[in-house]
């Protein structure tokens, strides 16, 4: 079988199961008695194993198989869970992630050596738990005790009536016991093949376990079936024998008049070998066991509610939508220029349709931030263990949605902020206790909508940031002069942590202290047309606040004119537009400013920024007041054209040095307008 066509699906689903395994283990670590979580972890490991085996990745299947053995003992109360087992399972998840990443990159899965983990899991399954905190029941004995999992079939009165009617018609009722091979990985697939074969020979009227349990692999290696057939027992055995990975088949003709139950077939030695979901195991009975099929029938409508779409297709759809918006604006200009009534009416309808279409396309591109947030609980857990700290991570608003292009980029900044909070923010338990705080530090990751923006906050109840220490470090590193440091208020001083190479760490560790984290955060966020700020109080904690646009594809902008050229300023960055006289401009410390409602606002002259020849000031000057965080500035322009919907186009690597522009857009008349980067202009 050529598995390459299924590779993308395998990788996507594998990463989903790995994330679920991580989440489940974190939850289990908090409450080791929660068997429902163990069952969920078992199902994810079991599905991942079956998928890997199907794709031919035997090392992944082997490791997940050993994980299943341990998890099965835990969920059946035959093994006491402790921190050592949790740690080993976490290592298994990490190794699985590496192997799957290797497979995705075209490398062999066995680049990661998992032999030691397999041995450790195997020992645990046999009752040899290293330094276990709780008593572990030997695994080998319980598994043998579990052999009667495929019991004799108890016949109901309805079953006996069906068998009697079959006998009157000259048909046989045969009890078939099938034992799968010990090495069988895909038990559900094998059971389906057996049931399918039996369906071709006659009617299956009963199975133990039920068809649903067979499909979900809730059985050991053996299962029992009663079939009404015209075939002889030997013919039934031969038909099943043609299926691979069948260890043993036993048949027994049932006498409906006998009082005794059909005799259970001889039991075989057993080793756990559950595998992934396969094709449903068909109906267990024509009429009697129909309920076994109902759950699957209810799931079908739900499965059709969503489809996987290639990201490139979404990008193409977005680009086509952008072209449609550009041409719509062009048609509007033609209609206004030539005053064509029919065209204007048609464009009004087209405007409604394109707006609805645009909203749908934008929503399709929206992804919950949970896709990024989900990986951080495990990271915080590992950092806390490494630093010998007690940290509780709280996540809020993970259902908040962002454009996919933004989602792809925010992972690293959030990771740096969380690392910073765990390392620099949250104190060690003894220190917290001495301060009268709980020994466990609280770190929060919060997302919420604010207008056309999404705000993501990383909070902690730690030591806070000492503004005096920041000032002295900045002066010591030569980043600012002592005079500049003295003039700074505490809020300005704290923002110095975002300067390149700045760090207050006394030693370099794997977690932080290399002086790159906060600079990376600011650079990444500003590249996304966002803003990052920090608020802090000594011994109360810190709040890092990231503000991001909902989307980076189609935005509302104010079109302005500077001499002959048109520019776009994102509407989300604009506070207001005002008219001023040249006499309203004052000079403070060699910088031009205006006073607006009692607030001093610095002036940015576009002519100077763009380095174009100065033209005599008009009697009325247009100023666009913009903001980045708490800071404001007034951009002087020659004319205000009006608000317009624009499609952002990347400038490409050739213009990467132009820091004052975030991109460009195509206007309705075909001209190009550059989009101003407000944050870069205000620096």
């Amino acid at each position: 079988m050529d598995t390459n066509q299924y590779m993308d699906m395998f990788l996507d689903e594998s990463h989903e199961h790995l994330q679920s395994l991580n989440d489940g283990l974190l939850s289990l670590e908090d409450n080791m008695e929660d068997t429902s979580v163990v069952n969920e972890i078992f199902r994810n490991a079991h599905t991942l194993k079956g998928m890997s085996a199907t794709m031919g990745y035997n090392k992944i299947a082997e490791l997940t198989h050993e994980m299943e053995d341990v998890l099965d003992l835990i969920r059946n109360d035959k093994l006491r869970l402790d921190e050592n087992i949790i740690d080993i399972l976490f290592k298994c998840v990490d190794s699985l992630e590496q192997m799957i990443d290797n497979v995705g990159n075209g490398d062999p899965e066995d680049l990661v050596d998992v032999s030691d983990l397999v041995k450790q899991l195997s020992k645990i399954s046999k009752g040899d738990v290293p330094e276990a905190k709780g008593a572990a029941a030997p695994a080998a004995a319980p598994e043998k005790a579990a052999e009667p999992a495929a019991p004799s079939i108890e016949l109901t009165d309805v079953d006996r009536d069906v068998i009697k009617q079959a006998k009157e018609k000259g048909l046989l009722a045969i009890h078939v016991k099938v034992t799968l091979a010990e090495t069988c990985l895909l038990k559900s697939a094998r059971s389906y093949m057996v049931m399918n074969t039996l369906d071709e020979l006659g009617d299956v009227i009963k199975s133990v376990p039920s068809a649903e349990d067979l499909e979900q692999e809730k059985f050991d290696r053996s299962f029992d079936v009663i079939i009404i057939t015209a075939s002889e027992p030997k013919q039934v055995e031969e038909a099943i024998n043609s299926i691979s990975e069948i260890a043993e088949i036993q048949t027994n003709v049932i006498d409906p008049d006998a009082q005794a139950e059909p005799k259970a077939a001889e039991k075989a030695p057993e080793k756990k070998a559950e595998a992934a979901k396969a094709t449903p195991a068909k109906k267990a009975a024509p009429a009697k066991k129909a309920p076994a099929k109902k759950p699957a029938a209810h799931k079908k409508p739900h499965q059709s509610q969503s489809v996987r779409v290639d990201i490139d297709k979404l990008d193409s759809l977005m680009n086509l939508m952008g072209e449609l918006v550009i041409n719509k604006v062009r048609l509007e200009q033609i209609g206004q220029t030539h005053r064509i009534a029919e065209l204007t009416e048609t464009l009004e309808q087209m405007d409604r349709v394109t707006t609805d279409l645009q909203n749908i396309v934008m929503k399709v591109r929206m992804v919950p931030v949970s896709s990024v947030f989900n990986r951080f609980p495990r990271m915080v857990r590992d950092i806390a263990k490494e630093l010998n700290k007690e940290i509780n991570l709280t996540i809020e608003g993970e259902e908040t949605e962002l454009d996919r292009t933004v989602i792809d980029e925010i992972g690293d900044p959030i990771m740096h902020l969380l690392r910073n909070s765990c390392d620099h923010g949250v104190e060690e338990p003894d220190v917290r206790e001495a301060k009268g705080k709980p020994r466990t530090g609280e770190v929060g990751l919060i997302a919420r909508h604010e207008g056309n923006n999404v705000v993501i906050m990383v909070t902690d109840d730690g030591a806070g940031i000492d503004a005096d220490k920041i000032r002295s470090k900045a002066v010591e590193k030569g980043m600012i002069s002592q005079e500049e440091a003295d003039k700074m208020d505490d809020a300005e001083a704290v923002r110095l942590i975002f300067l390149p190479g700045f760090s207050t760490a006394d030693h370099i560790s794997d977690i932080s202290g290399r002086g790159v984290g906060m600079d990376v955060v600011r650079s990444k966020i500003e590249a996304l047309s966002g803003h990052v700020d920090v608020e802090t109080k000594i011994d109360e904690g810190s709040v890092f606040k990231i503000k991001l646009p909902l989307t980076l594809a189609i935005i509302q902008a104010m079109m302005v004119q500077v001499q002959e050229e048109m520019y776009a300023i994102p509407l989300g960055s604009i506070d207001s537009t005002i008219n001023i006289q040249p006499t309203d401009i004052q000079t403070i410390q060699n910088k031009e400013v205006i006073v607006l409602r009692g607030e001093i606002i610095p002036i940015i002259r576009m002519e100077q920024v763009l380095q174009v020849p100065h033209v005599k000031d008009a009697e009325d000057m247009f100023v666009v007041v913009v903001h980045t965080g708490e800071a404001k500035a007034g951009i002087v322009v020659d004319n205000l054209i009006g608000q317009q919907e624009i499609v952002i186009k990347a400038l490409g690597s050739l213009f990467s040095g132009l820091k004052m522009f975030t991109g460009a857009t195509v206007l309705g008349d075909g001209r190009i307008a550059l989009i101003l980067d407000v944050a870069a202009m205000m620096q």
Side-chain angles (χ1 to χ4, degrees):
M1 180 178 71
D2 179 16
T3 58
N4 289 329
Q5 59 182 314
Y6 306 113
M7 179 59 76
D8 289 342
M9 188 185 299
F10 168 74
L11 293 174
D12 287 345
E13 293 192 8
S14 294
H15 283 112
E16 287 174 10
H17 288 299
L18 287 172
Q19 184 60 57
S20 297
L21 283 169
N22 260 318
D23 294 343
L25 288 172
L26 285 168
S27 177
L28 192 61
E29 192 173 38
D30 290 337
N31 181 9
M32 295 192 185
E33 305 301 321
D34 192 347
T35 54
S36 64
V37 176
V38 181
N39 287 328
E40 184 63 30
I41 296 170
F42 180 89
R43 282 194 292 271
N44 281 290
H46 145 97
T47 304
L48 185 55
K49 181 187 74 175
M51 289 163 48
S52 326
T54 304
M55 294 291 288
Y57 301 128
N58 297 324
K59 288 289 182 184
I60 299 174
E62 181 185 11
L63 181 57
T64 44
H65 172 67
E66 293 294 342
M67 287 174 68
E68 274 188 306
D69 284 352
V70 172
L71 291 165
D72 191 54
L73 292 174
I74 294 167
R75 68 175 183 164
N76 288 319
D77 296 326
K78 295 167 188 170
L79 179 67
R80 178 78 177 273
L81 187 64
D82 62 28
E83 285 185 17
N84 297 306
I85 296 175
I86 288 276
D87 286 340
I88 290 170
L89 291 172
F90 268 126
K91 289 176 184 176
C92 290
V93 173
D94 291 340
S95 297
L96 288 169
E97 190 168 5
Q98 289 176 34
M99 287 194 285
I100 288 166
D101 286 343
N102 287 343
V103 166
N105 294 329
D107 298 323
E109 57 171 335
D110 53 11
L111 286 180
V112 180
D113 184 11
V114 295
S115 56
D116 188 49
L117 283 173
V118 169
K119 286 177 185 175
Q120 289 183 61
L121 291 170
S122 181
K123 282 183 179 179
I124 293 171
S125 297
K126 293 172 183 173
D128 183 6
V129 184
E131 301 176 12
K133 292 182 180 177
E143 286 208 56
K144 287 192 177 181
E147 283 175 7
S152 301
I153 294 185
E154 295 182 7
L155 295 180
T156 64
D157 291 339
V158 174
D159 295 331
R160 291 182 184 279
D161 287 342
V162 171
I163 293 171
K164 282 180 181 177
Q165 290 173 21
K167 186 177 180 182
E168 290 170 3
K169 295 177 183 177
L171 302 175
L172 296 176
I174 302 176
H175 170 209
V176 183
K177 182 177 181 67
V178 179
T179 304
L180 302 178
E182 204 170 301
T183 55
C184 177
L185 290 176
L186 296 173
K187 294 195 306 177
S188 61
R190 291 291 167 249
S191 66
Y192 167 74
M193 293 173 73
V194 170
M195 297 293 275
N196 196 38
T197 300
L198 292 174
D199 271 338
E200 291 174 358
L201 294 173
D203 289 325
V204 174
I205 65 166
K206 192 161 191 169
S207 70
V208 177
S210 66
E212 185 181 1
D213 287 345
L214 289 174
E215 177 188 339
Q216 296 177 6
E217 297 198 6
K218 294 179 181 177
F219 69 103
D220 294 313
R221 285 199 295 129
S222 301
F223 58 93
D224 293 77
V225 179
I226 295 178
I227 179 176
I228 302 294
T229 178
S231 303
E232 294 295 324
K234 190 165 185 180
Q235 292 174 295
V236 174
E237 289 180 23
E238 287 173 356
I240 299 174
N241 259 326
S242 64
I243 302 168
S244 60
E245 296 189 303
I246 302 294
E248 187 178 4
I249 305 159
Q250 292 210 350
T251 55
N252 179 33
V253 176
I254 299 172
D255 182 359
D257 299 319
Q259 295 299 313
E261 303 295 344
K263 203 170 185 179
E266 188 180 339
K267 299 174 181 64
E270 197 164 13
K271 186 177 190 290
K272 278 283 182 189
E274 288 86 349
K277 293 177 182 176
T279 314
K282 267 203 171 181
K283 57 188 177 184
K288 311 294 185 297
K289 295 298 288 182
K293 194 180 173 182
K294 280 183 182 176
H298 288 310
K299 290 178 184 176
K300 284 181 183 176
H302 176 72
Q303 290 172 351
S304 64
Q305 296 300 309
S306 62
V307 292
R308 290 182 184 272
V309 179
D310 189 270
I311 286 172
D312 291 337
K313 291 180 181 176
L314 285 181
D315 288 340
S316 297
L317 187 60
M318 192 71 246
N319 288 334
L320 291 171
M321 187 64 235
E323 296 297 326
L324 189 59
V325 170
I326 290 168
N327 283 287
K328 179 195 75 173
V329 174
R330 173 65 174 147
L331 285 170
E332 286 173 349
Q333 287 187 351
I334 293 171
Q336 290 169 4
T337 303
H338 298 283
R339 298 180 182 179
I340 307 170
E342 292 85 350
L343 180 59
T344 303
E345 291 172 7
T346 306
L347 281 172
E348 287 175 359
Q349 176 64 21
M350 183 181 175
D351 186 52
R352 286 193 291 271
V353 173
T354 52
T355 300
D356 291 344
L357 181 58
Q358 178 188 327
N359 290 334
I360 291 171
V361 172
M362 301 296 283
K363 285 177 182 176
V364 167
R365 288 171 57 90
M366 300 299 267
V367 181
V369 293
S370 59
S371 61
V372 175
F373 284 11
N374 284 344
R375 58 177 160 154
F376 295 125
R378 170 67 193 282
M379 185 192 82
V380 171
R381 178 252 185 202
D382 291 346
I383 290 174
K385 273 187 168 287
E386 186 175 339
L387 296 174
N388 293 318
K389 294 181 179 180
E390 297 174 16
I391 300 174
N392 178 48
L393 175 65
T394 304
I395 295 178
E396 296 178 23
E398 62 262 46
E399 71 283 351
T400 306
E401 292 186 329
L402 264 172
D403 190 275
R404 184 192 62 78
T405 51
V406 182
I407 285 283
D408 290 346
E409 299 295 331
I410 63 169
D412 284 346
I414 296 174
M415 179 188 70
H416 283 302
L417 292 177
L418 283 171
R419 284 174 176 269
N420 182 74
S421 291
C422 293
D423 194 9
H424 294 303
V426 176
E427 311 95 331
E428 293 180 358
D430 292 342
V431 175
R432 291 180 62 85
E433 202 167 42
K435 290 181 179 180
K437 294 182 178 182
R439 290 179 64 84
T440 300
E442 294 291 335
V443 173
L445 183 55
I446 304 162
R448 65 168 181 257
H449 285 291
E450 283 188 5
N452 288 326
N453 295 285
V454 166
V455 171
I456 296 174
M457 292 187 290
V458 176
T459 67
D460 67 71
D461 66 346
I465 302 172
D466 188 338
D468 292 332
K469 185 178 180 182
I470 299 292
R471 287 189 191 94
S472 60
K473 277 281 185 180
V475 172
E476 179 188 320
K477 289 174 176 284
M479 293 178 171
I480 59 171
S481 65
Q482 187 62 53
E483 185 181 354
E484 289 173 316
D486 294 338
K487 290 179 182 177
M488 286 183 174
D489 61 25
D490 286 353
E492 289 175 322
V494 168
R495 290 191 186 100
L496 292 173
I497 63 174
F498 294 108
L499 291 176
F502 186 88
S503 175
T504 58
D506 297 321
H507 64 277
I508 290 175
S509 70
D510 289 337
I511 295 167
S512 62
R514 301 183 186 277
V516 295
M518 293 299 107
D519 178 42
V520 168
V521 169
R522 189 180 71 169
S523 300
K524 279 270 192 182
I525 297 306
E526 288 180 354
L528 294 170
S529 302
H531 174 72
V532 61
D533 204 359
V534 58
E535 298 173 8
T536 186
K537 287 186 180 179
I538 298 296
D539 285 337
E540 290 187 24
S542 304
V543 177
F544 287 88
K545 188 175 181 180
I546 298 172
K547 196 170 186 178
L548 292 162
L550 275 175
T551 178
L552 297 180
I554 298 177
I555 63 169
Q556 295 289 331
M558 173 66 74
M559 305 306 298
V560 300
Q561 188 173 357
V562 179
Q563 294 190 19
E564 300 301 320
E565 297 297 329
M566 297 266 285
Y567 298 92
I569 304 175
L571 214 58
S573 301
I574 298 176
D575 267 4
S576 60
T577 59
I578 58 173
N579 281 34
I580 64 169
Q581 306 293 322
T583 53
D584 292 330
I585 299 176
Q586 303 174 33
T587 303
I588 299 178
Q589 295 182 346
N590 295 323
K591 291 184 179 178
E592 291 185 318
V593 299
I594 58 171
V595 179
L596 179 64
R597 293 184 285 275
E599 187 177 2
I600 297 174
I601 297 175
I603 287 293
I604 299 172
R605 289 185 180 267
M606 287 292 289
E607 291 174 340
Q608 294 175 2
V609 173
L610 299 171
Q611 299 178 4
V612 295
H614 175 66
V615 177
K616 183 180 177 181
D617 287 341
E619 290 184 7
D620 284 329
M621 302 173 66
F622 297 99
V623 176
V624 181
V625 180
V626 296
H627 68 268
T628 298
E630 301 300 321
K632 290 184 180 179
I635 300 175
V636 179
V637 298
D638 294 339
N639 199 9
L640 301 176
I641 307 302
Q643 183 178 327
Q644 188 172 309
E645 202 170 55
I646 63 170
V647 180
I648 299 177
K649 301 285 187 181
L651 289 174
S653 57
L654 185 62
F655 300 98
S656 57
L658 297 176
K659 300 296 184 186
M660 69 190 74
F661 303 116
T662 58
T665 188
V666 181
L667 301 177
D669 58 5
R671 289 192 296 166
I672 304 296
L674 294 170
I675 303 167
L676 299 180
D677 185 342
V678 171
M681 293 181 70
M682 292 176 62
Q683 285 180 0

